[in-house]
Amino acid sequence: MSAHAAPTARLTLGDIAKKKASGEPIVMVTAYDYPSAQIADEAGVDMVLVGDSGAMTVLGYDSTVPVTTDEMLMLTRAARRGLTRALLVGDLPFGSYEASDELAIATAQRFVKEAGVDLVKIERGGTTVERARALVNAGIPVVGHVGLTPQTATALGGYRAQGRTAEAALAVIDDALALQEAGVSLIVVEAVPSQVMAALAPLLRIPTIGIGAGPDADGQVLVFHDLLGIYDGPAAKFVKRYADVRGVSVDGVSAYASEVRSRAYPAPEHGYGMPEDEAARLREMLAAR
């Protein structure tokens, strides 16, 4: 157990609400597998989101759109096995909930039953508000998502900040308020001007988690592979790298490859031996063939 080990009592939505009420910032990160979830949990984060960003950072797609429900469930199950304390949020992928309330509920129920999530996350306002209400009525806690919503980034003009005019900002705020009235438990606010988040925060009773939305959100989320410098794709303006895991990893594998090629590895201490009398008997048995 490291010096950063977190207590093992599992957090609840009530604990997250208390953090908002007391002004204690909420820490969320994404994670997409067992070891990443273990690391996040040991580091003491409050919530782990298995985001559809895993489509790009883990599965190698060029956007979040192609990832399937089964692929997301596989990643989410792996993260679940790595958590003992943090709340787990599962991202419902594009095409798995938009068509109807019935589809949304069926997909969300799979994430609860098969992957053990505490909440599911869906994107946007508009008709998504009705999906959120249906999920809440079905007893499934929901995280909303407004501002830049990657699943529909093309319709929004690409991966760019939203709400940069007063009218656009008001639309983001209205989406968030509508999601709150639908009963969602939290709202992720992505890539909006800090002034928009500052205007929205006092209007909400529920916690907000910012990602590129400035300091006025109740908490922050970053992608695991971005903050640790694992993903080699372009990073958004709001990303701060706290480590260079990819660079260290490339150096380590390069050193390994060099030692294999020079026959420096494996050294005698990396191998197994057998008693000399057994080795002698083996030589005799081979010679007798």
Side-chain angles (χ1 to χ4, degrees):
M1 190 73 70
S2 82
H4 300 289
T8 56
R10 181 159 292 176
L11 293 174
T12 67
L13 276 173
D15 295 321
I16 300 302
K18 289 176 183 176
K19 287 178 183 291
K20 174 180 172 61
S22 67
E24 179 184 350
I26 301 160
V27 181
M28 178 190 282
V29 298
T30 67
Y32 314 102
D33 57 24
Y34 175 72
S36 300
Q38 279 190 312
I39 290 167
D41 214 44
E42 189 170 339
V45 306
D46 303 310
M47 306 185 76
V48 166
L49 166 65
V50 184
D52 59 4
S53 48
M56 301 165 72
T57 59
V58 174
L59 300 179
Y61 292 117
D62 59 3
S63 75
T64 64
V65 171
V67 71
T68 67
T69 296
D70 285 340
E71 287 171 325
M72 287 300 302
L73 282 167
M74 177 194 68
L75 298 177
T76 307
R77 284 193 296 266
R80 172 80 281 166
R81 291 189 284 269
L83 297 179
T84 59
R85 176 182 178 271
L87 283 171
L88 179 63
V89 182
D91 223 348
L92 303 192
F94 179 75
S96 71
Y97 62 92
E98 297 92 336
S100 69
D101 291 347
E102 292 75 17
L103 177 62
I105 292 169
T107 302
Q109 286 174 335
R110 291 191 66 191
F111 275 78
V112 174
K113 293 176 67 172
E114 298 177 30
V117 300
D118 299 297
L119 308 96
V120 299
K121 186 173 80 64
I122 58 178
E123 290 191 1
R124 306 187 323 280
T127 56
T128 300
V129 174
E130 298 308 313
R131 305 293 172 259
R133 182 175 289 108
L135 291 172
V136 172
N137 289 339
I140 301 169
V142 176
V143 177
H145 186 158
V146 301
L148 173 60
T149 48
Q151 291 178 5
T152 52
T154 300
L156 296 173
Y159 290 90
R160 60 182 65 183
Q162 302 297 303
R164 302 185 88 166
T165 67
E167 292 81 5
L170 189 60
V172 171
I173 291 171
D174 285 344
D175 280 345
L177 292 172
L179 285 166
Q180 174 175 258
E181 293 311 307
V184 305
S185 300
L186 299 93
I187 297 180
V188 171
V189 184
E190 181 170 358
V192 301
S194 300
Q195 298 95 321
V196 178
M197 186 69 251
L200 172 61
L203 303 177
L204 294 176
R205 304 179 301 274
I206 58 176
T208 53
I209 306 294
I211 177 167
D216 288 289
D218 298 300
Q220 301 292 329
V221 60
L222 279 178
V223 169
F224 189 88
H225 289 59
D226 285 341
L227 74 92
L228 291 181
I230 301 172
Y231 182 54
D232 67 347
K237 178 181 181 180
F238 52 75
V239 170
K240 179 176 180 180
R241 296 208 188 279
Y242 290 84
D244 181 23
V245 171
R246 188 175 191 275
V248 171
S249 300
V250 171
D251 289 345
V253 175
S254 295
Y256 160 70
S258 177
E259 288 201 357
V260 169
R261 292 179 179 126
S262 68
R263 300 190 182 278
Y265 176 85
E269 63 267 25
H270 302 122
Y272 301 97
M274 65 188 299
E276 182 52 39
D277 59 336
E278 293 297 328
R281 287 183 60 233
L282 174 61
R283 289 190 293 271
E284 291 171 3
M285 292 166 69
L286 289 171
R289 286 187 173 184

